[in-house]
Amino acid sequence: MGKTFTMLEEAHRRKERGTDVVVGFVQTHGRKHTAQMVGDLEVVPRKQMAYRGTTFEEMDVDAVLARRPEVAIVDELAHTNVPGSRNTKRWQDIQELLDAGITVLSTVNIQHLESLNDVVQQITGVVQHETVPDEVVRRAEQVELVDMTPEALRRRMAHGNVYQADKIDAALGNYFRVGNLTALRELALLWLADKVDEQLDRYRAEHRIGGTWETRERVVVALTGGPEGDTLIRRAARIAARSKGSELLAVHVTRSDGLAGADPALLARQRLLVESLGGTYHQVIGADVPHALLDFARGVNATQLVLGASRRGRLAQLFSTGIGVTTTARSGPIDVHLVTHEQIGQGRRRPLLTGQAALSRSRRIAGFALAVFGLPLLTVVLAALRGDLALASDILFYLSWVILVALVGGLWPAVLTALAGSLLLNYYFTSPINTFTIAETENLLSLAVFVIVAVAVSAVVDTAARRTREAAHASADASTLATVAGSVLRGDRPLAALLERLRETFGLESVTLLERRPDAPPSPDRPHDPNSWRIAATVGGRPCAAPGEGATDVPIDDDLALVLRGHPLPAADRRIVEAFAAQAALALRQERLSEEAATARPLAEADKMRTALLAAVSHDLRTPLASAKAAVTSLRSHDVDFSDEDRDELLAAADESLDKLARLVANLLDMSRLQAGALGLALTEIGLEDAVPRALDELGPHARAVRVRIPPELPAARADPALLERVLVNVIGNALRFSPAGQPPRITASEHAGTVQLRVIDQGPGIAEGAREHMFQPFQRLGDRDNHNGVGLGLALSRGLAEAMGGSLVPDTTPGGGLTMILTLPSADARQDLAAEAAAAARVAETTDRAIVQRLRRRTTTKPEAT
């Protein structure tokens, strides 16, 4: 409430600043304060639309475009236009204004957002027929929440500022209860918070802000793949639950040297646990685990980080501080929780490789230290034993030392040791001693073999270490791809999930899948022409329009390419990116096939309906036809002389059978029209006090026992009289069939929030809540005691006819047992509903939704100012 008033205030502020503002359409709902707020704003004349004998007013899009203001005021974004308008929905009219360079101010209620439609119905019990896609609202450059407490809104209603006096009590006791309003208010706040969160993430990415902004609690739990993960996840979930609206994220860092104790089965189980607690699972690759962990936490703007206490033994902790301590020291403003668990001190940590060499820097330094300090010491010891050892023994000791250095420090420390050892052997142990001269050829050969063997052993050790690193890196890649495959298989949108995992894994700014346009064949001269490509899917920040715009591009085939924006990837990672690219192509094709399957699904439903229709015609229509045929044949027979009483009985049986046959055929025809969207409507004002008696008369003498209570002040409903009578006959007839003897059905009526509600109440056996929707399916006889009475179309047709008239038909439980059918129709004096027109236009919209979506995807122009 109050959004139109606030929008008009903003229009006056803009006009005072010199902006050219006009009113394209404002819905005042008869509220004098809102009407007065229009004031001196220029109002574009509305377009008069005739429909079903009634004149309606809609926004004149052509007049607004011809006037071409800077800002246009267009109320009710989710409004459904009268059939015959150029667009089905008002947001489509607004789109035309935006395309023409006109800024638009509009309004929308939270209950009209498409994604919240089922939630609102569950909370309020009211079906919203007019909805707008969330994507349309999210495209707005500015969204302002017009908020009001439930108590303040109810006071406004009590003072008569919203509804007329005769509608206030019903509105306050039904839709506008405190609980309903509080829930709707929370939905609005949360929806807007999500949009603000998207804007904040985009701003941080564009300005390269890596620090944490504590706008919302985000708890990140680090998983090593060990058995302590369950404890950490539950602890993190409890921390996140302390703040409403907080997020839980679990991350596993796959190190390039492999991770000790990382059990894939445990990780899969822990992932399911995280998702069951409302969190999300992520996996990244990093050589330095604390660095990768903190990069991820800062990337998602985390406020708290949960780690497990080290599983390494005390001796291992003396030589290295460990991941937990290191992460805490580097965390900055992020709070770090070190959680104790049963696995403390029971694990073993493998060495951390921080560079791209075969061995770590610390091992290479240790190798050089052994060469520099160990060789002199070995020489002193062997010199003291010079008289007891031969040259061959000395060479073996030096070779052993070279092998030790190679095992510790790799190739180059061992080569240095071999060269230095050969010089020391020459100087101290070969004749002549204390000179670098070698007198004997045998000694020269021995020293040469020594150097060759030492270098060869060093190369073997270095190669083994390099292969170990490559194997660990391949294992990390395989683990990442397995995680990706799981996320894609479980996701509703596999392509988007796949690209998001790729972006997240390698810390990229954006990932874009480009598809070559059908009218642009491959050109070797201009492979990176943006006009030759279109964006098939993208995640992250600013997308790439051509392969050459990113830091890395991976061709998939002649028509597809994957483009990565951010930092260049090393050659070693390109292989896994190519695997991502191949899967992205498959996911794209899968989504295209899903769209084609969705298109074919209505055809399959129609075929199923035709099959059921043929079965009904071949069986259920035969019974009344056979009865009528038998009666007429008997009357025409000259072999039997019927009395007047028998003749009247046969004529009555034929008449009753033909009436039943006519009703069945009419139901079948109307259901076919509903399925085809071709049911004609003649909406007019009709009083329920007139419609109900006509339906009872059609049902015959046994319907006279039905008790009817319709208030004399009840307003007329807006409906098609013939269709309404059909609905009432089916619903009341169903209640009569199931009502026990001596307890006839009751019919009551009331008004609520611009609608008229008719309740048909019976005390029969009722229907279980889980089976109620099943009874509205065509050709069902749920609990029918007469399996050959009708084709099971009564309730299905009644609901379809009610919805076609802009109303609804829903079941409820009768207090004390039984079933209550609630028929809701728009009130004739509630002009703003236009429910019947909305339902008719919605059927047209179903056939044009795909074209609208394609149009939105093709639109790449920027909105001129603000929506």
Side-chain angles (χ1 to χ4, degrees):
M1 290 296 177
K3 61 188 185 304
T4 302
F5 196 91
T6 304
M7 178 180 63
L8 292 172
E9 285 182 333
E10 174 64 19
H12 282 287
R13 281 194 292 270
R14 296 196 178 206
K15 181 180 179 182
E16 292 172 359
R17 297 197 300 264
T19 304
D20 183 16
V21 181
V22 302
V23 176
F25 193 97
V26 167
Q27 183 66 268
T28 64
H29 299 292
R31 297 162 189 160
K32 61 179 182 178
H33 298 297
T34 304
Q36 293 172 356
M37 194 60 197
V38 176
D40 58 350
L41 293 174
E42 179 184 348
V43 179
V44 176
R46 300 182 180 182
K47 187 176 183 179
Q48 304 294 320
M49 299 286 297
Y51 180 71
R52 298 293 185 183
T54 307
T55 301
F56 302 98
E57 291 184 340
E58 295 289 359
M59 181 178 67
D60 193 336
V61 179
D62 291 326
V64 178
L65 291 173
R67 172 63 176 76
R68 203 168 184 81
E70 294 180 68
V71 177
I73 308 301
V74 184
D75 207 1
E76 301 291 354
L77 182 66
H79 171 76
T80 301
N81 294 329
V82 173
S85 302
R86 64 193 294 168
N87 292 311
T88 305
K89 290 287 192 176
R90 183 164 290 164
W91 64 263
Q92 296 169 321
D93 296 337
I94 291 175
Q95 190 63 55
E96 291 194 32
L97 302 183
L98 293 176
D99 292 340
I102 300 174
T103 296
V104 178
L105 301 181
S106 187
T107 62
V108 67
N109 287 337
I110 189 65
Q111 61 264 32
H112 294 306
L113 293 178
E114 181 64 43
S115 66
L116 301 176
N117 187 261
D118 56 340
V119 179
V120 173
Q121 179 182 355
Q122 181 182 4
I123 294 172
T124 64
V126 177
V127 179
Q128 300 293 334
H129 294 284
E130 293 188 330
T131 59
V132 58
D134 290 47
E135 189 268 341
V136 174
V137 184
R138 290 188 183 279
R139 287 204 313 267
E141 293 186 359
Q142 300 177 34
V143 177
E144 178 180 346
L145 177 66
V146 182
D147 190 25
M148 182 178 293
T149 64
E151 294 76 14
L153 175 55
R154 288 170 61 86
R155 282 197 300 270
R156 285 190 59 192
M157 297 183 67
H159 293 160
N161 295 333
V162 180
Y163 289 129
Q164 299 177 5
D166 57 339
K167 301 179 182 179
I168 294 175
D169 292 339
L172 290 176
N174 291 279
Y175 191 88
F176 292 91
R177 297 193 298 268
V178 173
N180 288 357
L181 296 176
T182 303
L184 291 175
R185 187 187 189 199
E186 183 176 13
L187 285 176
L189 292 169
L190 291 175
W191 191 92
L192 187 61
D194 288 339
K195 177 172 175 58
V196 173
D197 202 37
E198 292 175 2
Q199 294 175 332
L200 179 61
D201 289 342
R202 186 164 55 250
Y203 178 86
R204 285 165 50 86
E206 291 174 353
H207 292 77
R208 301 184 182 280
I209 298 174
T212 299
W213 289 5
E214 298 187 19
T215 55
R216 180 191 294 190
E217 289 290 344
R218 288 182 176 86
V219 182
V220 174
V221 53
L223 303 178
T224 64
E228 75 280 2
D230 293 359
T231 302
L232 301 182
I233 292 171
R234 293 188 176 93
R235 176 62 173 164
R238 290 195 296 271
I239 295 174
R242 295 172 184 169
S243 301
K244 188 157 183 78
S246 60
E247 295 181 16
L248 173 64
L249 303 92
V251 59
H252 171 65
V253 179
T254 302
R255 295 198 317 226
S256 57
D257 65 335
L259 184 62
D263 188 338
L266 284 177
L267 282 176
R269 189 187 70 186
Q270 290 163 9
R271 173 179 186 151
L272 293 177
L273 177 60
V274 169
E275 293 174 348
S276 68
L277 294 174
T280 56
Y281 179 87
H282 309 265
Q283 186 161 323
V284 298
I285 295 177
D288 187 347
V289 175
H291 181 77
L293 190 58
L294 290 173
D295 279 350
F296 174 83
R298 296 188 182 104
V300 299
N301 201 22
T303 56
Q304 301 189 58
L305 185 59
V306 178
L307 303 173
S310 177
R311 288 185 290 151
R312 299 177 302 130
R314 294 184 179 180
L315 182 61
Q317 296 181 32
L318 294 177
F319 296 95
S320 176
T321 57
I323 294 175
V325 176
T326 305
T327 303
T328 305
R330 302 179 187 174
S331 62
I334 302 177
D335 297 335
V336 178
H337 302 264
L338 284 177
V339 179
T340 58
H341 50 84
E342 297 179 354
Q343 303 297 322
I344 295 177
Q346 299 181 15
R348 182 173 62 88
R349 179 176 181 270
R350 295 177 61 180
L352 176 63
L353 304 183
T354 59
Q356 293 300 319
L359 297 175
S360 66
R361 182 181 178 185
S362 60
R363 288 186 59 175
R364 294 198 306 272
I365 293 176
F368 282 114
L370 287 174
V372 173
F373 298 105
L375 280 178
L377 181 60
L378 178 62
T379 303
V380 171
V381 173
L382 292 178
L385 301 174
R386 185 182 302 164
D388 300 325
L389 297 176
L391 177 60
S393 300
D394 296 331
I395 291 177
L396 289 177
F397 278 109
Y398 273 92
L399 183 59
S400 301
W401 195 259
V402 171
I403 294 174
L404 175 63
V405 172
L407 292 173
V408 174
L411 178 61
W412 297 112
V415 170
L416 174 63
T417 305
L419 294 177
S422 65
L423 294 177
L424 293 174
L425 282 169
N426 182 18
Y427 190 83
Y428 289 104
F429 300 102
T430 60
S431 302
I433 297 176
N434 297 330
T435 65
F436 288 104
T437 303
I438 301 178
E440 299 178 8
T441 304
E442 182 181 354
N443 292 340
L444 177 62
L445 182 60
S446 299
L447 291 178
V449 173
F450 164 79
V451 172
I452 293 173
V453 171
V455 172
V457 171
S458 304
V460 170
V461 172
D462 187 84
T463 301
R466 192 179 302 276
R467 294 294 180 265
T468 301
R469 170 178 288 277
E470 292 173 356
H473 192 75
S475 176
D477 291 351
S479 178
T480 301
L481 290 175
T483 302
V484 169
S487 64
V488 170
L489 290 174
R490 282 189 290 269
D492 294 331
R493 301 176 59 199
L495 180 57
L498 187 72
L499 298 183
E500 180 60 28
R501 286 299 183 194
L502 174 59
R503 186 195 67 81
E504 185 179 85
T505 298
F506 293 101
L508 301 170
E509 179 182 340
S510 68
V511 177
T512 306
L513 180 63
L514 296 177
E515 184 178 25
R516 192 180 298 278
R517 296 182 183 276
D519 55 349
S523 174
D525 298 332
R526 305 177 63 187
H528 297 162
D529 183 12
N531 296 324
S532 301
W533 299 88
R534 64 185 180 188
I535 297 176
T538 183
V539 296
R542 184 164 54 95
C544 299
E549 294 184 6
T552 304
D553 63 274
V554 179
I556 302 175
D557 54 29
D558 291 340
D559 299 324
L560 291 174
L562 192 66
V563 187
L564 315 179
R565 183 186 293 277
H567 57 83
L569 295 180
D573 291 333
R574 187 176 179 88
R575 180 171 57 85
I576 191 172
V577 174
E578 291 175 350
F580 271 96
Q583 293 300 316
L586 293 176
L588 177 63
R589 294 185 179 94
Q590 177 183 342
E591 288 192 357
R592 298 277 171 83
L593 290 174
S594 298
E595 292 175 0
E596 294 176 4
T599 304
R601 191 174 296 114
L603 300 177
E605 291 294 332
D607 184 71
K608 180 180 179 182
M609 177 65 69
R610 283 193 294 269
T611 302
L613 179 61
L614 290 175
V617 170
S618 64
H619 181 273
D620 297 272
L621 297 185
R622 185 182 302 169
T623 301
L625 184 62
S627 298
K629 173 74 172 174
V632 173
T633 301
S634 298
L635 289 172
R636 294 187 61 190
S637 174
H638 300 291
D639 298 336
V640 180
D641 187 16
F642 293 101
S643 64
D644 292 338
E645 181 178 338
D646 292 335
R647 188 179 300 275
D648 290 339
E649 184 177 351
L650 287 173
L651 288 173
D655 183 69
E656 182 181 354
S657 297
L658 291 175
D659 286 343
K660 184 182 298 183
L661 182 63
R663 286 196 298 270
L664 293 176
V665 172
N667 282 345
L668 289 170
L669 291 176
D670 286 344
M671 179 58 69
S672 299
R673 293 191 186 101
L674 278 175
Q675 292 289 333
L679 184 68
L681 296 176
L683 300 180
T684 185
E685 296 183 8
I686 180 172
L688 294 183
E689 66 276 7
D690 298 325
V692 173
R694 286 202 296 266
L696 294 176
D697 289 342
E698 183 175 340
L699 287 170
H702 65 290
R704 295 174 183 172
V706 177
R707 292 174 289 173
V708 181
R709 182 173 61 84
I710 299 178
E713 68 276 5
L714 186 72
R718 185 171 177 80
D720 185 306
L723 299 184
L724 176 59
E725 184 175 340
R726 298 287 300 284
V727 173
L728 293 177
V729 168
N730 284 327
V731 174
I732 298 174
N734 189 70
L736 283 168
R737 189 160 60 251
F738 288 98
S739 293
Q743 292 182 305
R746 293 179 290 117
I747 299 177
T748 63
S750 61
E751 180 192 11
H752 165 55
T755 63
V756 176
Q757 294 183 345
L758 184 77
R759 287 175 166 80
V760 180
I761 307 167
D762 67 62
Q763 299 291 332
I767 297 178
E769 186 173 351
R772 288 178 181 174
E773 286 303 315
H774 187 64
M775 71 181 182
F776 288 105
Q777 297 178 7
F779 309 106
Q780 301 294 327
R781 301 187 189 91
L782 189 63
D784 202 329
R785 293 169 297 190
D786 183 4
N787 272 343
H788 303 286
N789 186 12
V791 294
L793 281 178
L795 291 180
L797 178 61
S798 298
R799 169 174 277 191
L801 294 177
E803 292 177 349
M805 293 185 291
S808 63
L809 181 65
V810 296
D812 197 5
T813 302
T814 302
L819 185 69
T820 298
M821 300 298 295
I822 304 175
L823 173 64
T824 303
L825 295 171
S827 174
D829 58 0
R831 168 63 186 84
Q832 69 275 21
D833 285 345
L834 284 178
E837 290 80 0
R843 294 195 303 273
V844 178
E846 289 178 0
T847 63
T848 58
D849 274 346
R850 186 172 302 279
I852 293 170
V853 172
Q854 293 297 329
R855 176 187 174 192
L856 290 175
R857 289 176 177 171
R858 290 194 299 268
R859 182 178 179 271
T860 57
T861 56
T862 304
K863 294 174 286 301
E865 183 178 344
T867 303

